[in-house]
């Protein structure tokens, strides 16, 4: 067996978090308990990497934006270990009337050349927006959006994001009523949306926690050959046989686990715990 300079330990190390939105409240306890990593917040203006209210577009993909934030935290603080998270909200691919929140949490360990990404996709989100013409409709919207625990954003219309009339992080009913009334008087309408910044959105904060737990799971999965962290599925291969006729289906027959560092791979049969496919998934039995 080849000798490698690993395992890497995270115990007692400081990881800097690029966040202005108090994500450390959910992430820090998980990282400390599970791998001993101590999270510190880097005072970095993360709005330069995009805002939910669209004043600033996100650079590149969701993953690229998270990576940029983590690298900026390393550059700013001089620490070798950094974390960042990035969320998106979009219609569910199969059920378009449902909103979907995808959260990524990235860890970059510059000292060991390691990059790992935890991910969660959840339909648990209050993400919504609405144009209203009266106060009652605005209050109904607020109720559906989980207000006042969840913050709201009010502006004159969806395209006027640069406008000085935009108010974010609203959590008080009196404040909401006053701002909606003022906007209605001035513009005859008001555009309401849920504030998706983590500290204004406890539901999103929970999903960031789930993505952090996914990251920790990957950190703990060590390569059997060199002990490098993040030994995880790199490929899923179809071909699970149909329960009736035995012909191969598109469902996963085996998963290939791979090591980022030494390239060692191991395949695992029936990773989803099923040895045969439901005939409904078979092109011959259910054409
Ligand atoms: Zn079949
Ligand atoms: Zn390895």
């Amino acid at each position: 067996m080849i000798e490698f300079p690993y395992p890497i330990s995270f115990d007692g190390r400081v990881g800097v978090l690029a966040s202005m939105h108090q994500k450390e409240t959910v992430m820090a306890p998980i990282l400390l308990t599970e791998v001993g990593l101590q999270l510190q917040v880097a005072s970095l203006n993360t709005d330069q990497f995009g805002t939910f209210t669209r004043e600033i577009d996100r650079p590149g993909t969701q993953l690229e934006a998270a990576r940029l934030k983590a690298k900026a935290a390393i550059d700013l603080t001089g620490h070798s270990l950094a974390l960042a998270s990035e969320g998106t909200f979009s219609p569910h691919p199969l059920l378009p009337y449902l909103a979907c929140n995808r959260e990524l949490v990235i860890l970059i360990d510059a000292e060991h050349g390691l990059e790992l990404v935890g991910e969660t996709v959840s339909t648990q989100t209050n993400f919504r927006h609405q144009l209203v013409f009266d106060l009652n409709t605005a209050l109904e919207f607020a109720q559906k959006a989980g207000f006042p625990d969840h913050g709201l954003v009010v502006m004159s219309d969806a395209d006027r994001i640069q406008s000085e009339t935009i108010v974010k992080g609203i959590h008080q009913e009196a404040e909401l009523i006053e701002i909606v009334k003022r906007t209605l008087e001035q513009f005859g309408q008001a555009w309401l949306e849920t504030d998706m910044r983590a500290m204004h959105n406890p539901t999103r904060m929970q999903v960031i926690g789930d993505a952090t737990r996914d990251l920790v799971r990957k950190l703990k999965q060590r390569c059997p050959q060199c002990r490098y962290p993040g030994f995880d599925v790199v490929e899923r291969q179809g071909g699970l046989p149909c329960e009736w006729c035995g012909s191969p289906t598109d469902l996963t027959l085996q998963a290939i686990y791979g090591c980022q560092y030494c390239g060692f791979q191991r395949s695992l049969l029936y990773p989803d715990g099923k040895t045969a496919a439901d005939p409904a998934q078979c092109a011959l039995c259910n054409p």
Side-chain angles (χ1 to χ4, degrees):
M1 187 168 148
I2 315 159
E3 285 294 322
F4 288 94
Y6 296 106
I8 301 168
S9 174
F10 300 97
D11 195 15
R13 286 179 71 192
V14 169
V16 282
L17 174 69
S19 170
M20 303 191 299
H21 299 155
Q22 296 163 22
K23 293 171 181 172
E24 68 278 7
T25 56
V26 66
M27 292 172 67
I30 298 169
L31 291 161
L32 184 64
T33 311
E34 297 293 329
V35 291
L37 190 155
Q38 293 172 13
L39 203 60
Q40 280 180 11
V41 178
S43 50
L44 183 76
N45 178 10
T46 49
D47 275 356
Q48 60 182 303
F49 303 107
T51 60
F52 285 116
T53 31
R54 306 174 296 284
E55 297 97 325
I56 302 167
D57 287 337
R58 194 183 57 208
T61 65
Q62 185 179 6
L63 178 59
E64 284 161 1
R67 189 181 287 135
L68 277 175
K69 282 197 261 187
K71 286 187 171 165
I74 288 174
D75 291 344
L76 180 77
T77 62
H79 282 285
S80 61
L81 192 61
L83 291 101
S85 105
E86 184 74 20
T88 56
F89 301 88
S90 55
H92 190 280
L94 301 176
L95 310 161
Y97 53 89
L98 261 187
C100 218
N101 173 201
R102 177 178 187 237
E103 292 292 338
L104 299 183
V105 173
I106 192 171
L107 175 143
I108 293 181
D109 183 348
E111 191 184 330
H112 301 102
L114 171 71
E115 176 183 301
L116 277 182
V117 180
E119 179 181 0
T120 294
V121 177
S122 174
T123 53
Q124 293 297 312
T125 175
N126 68 336
F127 178 70
R128 64 185 69 213
H129 43 71
Q130 191 175 344
L131 184 64
V132 304
F133 300 94
D134 61 82
L135 181 62
N136 275 346
T137 314
L139 294 176
E140 280 167 24
F141 175 90
Q143 199 182 7
K144 281 185 227 152
F147 182 84
D149 294 348
H150 293 74
L152 295 182
V153 178
V154 177
M155 58 187 111
S156 59
D157 64 78
D159 302 323
R160 294 292 294 274
I161 47 174
Q162 305 288 2
S163 143
E164 286 171 12
T165 61
I166 183 170
V167 185
K168 303 186 197 179
I170 304 167
H171 284 274
Q172 305 289 334
E173 187 165 21
E175 189 193 6
L176 178 67
I177 291 171
E178 185 204 317
I179 292 163
V180 170
K181 272 186 175 170
R182 195 174 66 208
T183 309
L184 288 172
E185 275 165 24
Q186 208 178 339
F187 300 94
Q189 61 177 41
W191 175 265
L192 275 71
E193 54 188 57
T194 43
D195 196 328
M196 302 318 292
R197 291 174 297 166
M199 78 286 213
H200 294 290
N201 201 306
T203 301
R204 179 172 175 227
M205 199 67 105
Q206 290 306 311
V207 183
I208 293 171
D210 291 343
T212 307
R213 277 182 277 272
D214 186 54
L215 173 77
V216 161
R217 178 187 65 78
K218 289 180 182 172
L219 281 177
K220 288 179 170 180
Q221 284 176 188
R222 302 276 180 161
C223 170
Q225 180 161 277
C226 77
R227 308 292 299 150
Y228 198 75
F231 191 70
D232 200 35
V233 176
V234 291
E235 191 191 341
R236 296 177 76 89
Q237 295 175 341
L240 191 68
C242 167
E243 198 174 1
W244 285 355
C245 74
S247 60
T249 67
D250 291 340
L251 297 189
T252 304
L253 173 66
Q254 62 178 353
I256 311 296
Y257 283 70
C259 173
Q260 280 187 35
Y261 183 75
C262 76
F264 177 76
Q265 289 198 334
R266 176 173 282 176
S267 62
L268 178 71
L269 267 177
Y270 314 125
D272 301 323
K274 279 195 236 165
T275 56
D278 185 333
Q281 305 290 328
C282 174
L284 296 176
C285 298
N286 188 26

